[in-house]
Amino acid sequence: SLTVANGLTLTDGDVTLANGHGIDFSATSDGGSQGFSEQFDDYEEGYWTPVYESDSTNPTFSANLQDGRYTKIGRLVYASFRLRGAITGTKTGSLILAGLPYTSNSSAANGSGSIGLTEVFGSDNYPTNLRVAASANYIQLMVCDSSDPRDGLFTNVTVSSTSGSSSGNYIIGHVVYQE
């Protein structure tokens, strides 16, 4: 055990903690509720590969832009993406973005996100909302199914409405969900 009274300076190298350990903030007692950990035990940054798929029969996807990055802090995952390309072949079911770096928690609230840009989706079926369901490693692309968006009636974007153009089906966005 090491006790440091006036701070610690590391001039070079990394601090490595044993598996199952982390930085303990319990001295501040900010939790307020029982059962919550005040130990910071996980941080990770990386890349992931988003791909268009279907919840039914997967179409053929030919990407000309395919980029994903993520940051995981504790159980919270922030995943951003850019994706564009042709969707051809069998076009049935609902369109999803597959390949999230972690599967969402089965008991956590659903994850959600926002769309920064959509272009050339065809049939005016542009995604307006993103959703990560429980126990999922994909993003559902949702569209408002009402003339009044305050109704909250959302349905999945259908694969049959997508573009076969190589510069089509362009989307930029991000989601936040619990692992």
Side-chain angles (χ1 to χ4, degrees), residues 3-161:
T3 302
V4 178
N6 293 320
L8 176 66
T9 302
L10 182 66
T11 59
D12 192 16
D14 298 321
V15 174
T16 303
L17 303 173
N19 188 21
H21 296 276
I23 301 170
D24 188 347
F25 293 99
S26 62
T28 60
S29 297
D30 295 329
S33 298
Q34 292 181 326
F36 288 96
S37 173
E38 291 192 356
Q39 183 176 8
F40 178 63
D41 60 359
D42 194 8
Y43 180 86
E44 180 178 318
E45 294 179 354
Y47 298 94
W48 65 288
T49 304
V51 63
Y52 285 119
E53 289 185 358
S54 168
D55 65 356
S56 178
T57 302
N58 284 333
T60 302
F61 174 59
S62 303
N64 72 13
L65 174 65
Q66 196 172 19
D67 178 41
R69 294 176 181 240
Y70 73 91
T71 302
K72 181 176 180 286
I73 303 171
R75 291 186 308 268
L76 194 64
V77 180
Y78 171 88
S80 61
F81 58 88
R82 297 182 308 157
L83 189 60
R84 177 178 55 215
I87 298 175
T88 58
T90 304
K91 292 184 169 186
T92 60
S94 299
L95 188 65
I96 61 174
L97 274 177
L100 282 173
Y102 291 95
T103 299
S104 63
N105 187 311
S106 63
S107 61
N110 295 328
S112 64
S114 66
I115 297 171
L117 175 72
T118 57
E119 289 181 347
V120 195
F121 262 84
S123 300
D124 295 323
N125 200 9
Y126 288 76
T128 57
N129 294 74
L130 303 173
R131 178 176 182 255
V132 179
S135 300
N137 63 351
Y138 58 86
I139 301 167
Q140 294 172 306
L141 302 174
M142 310 295 284
V143 63
C144 184
D145 190 23
S146 172
S147 59
D148 185 350
R150 295 175 295 177
D151 290 342
L153 302 173
F154 291 94
T155 59
N156 297 319
V157 172
T158 57
V159 180
S160 62
S161 68

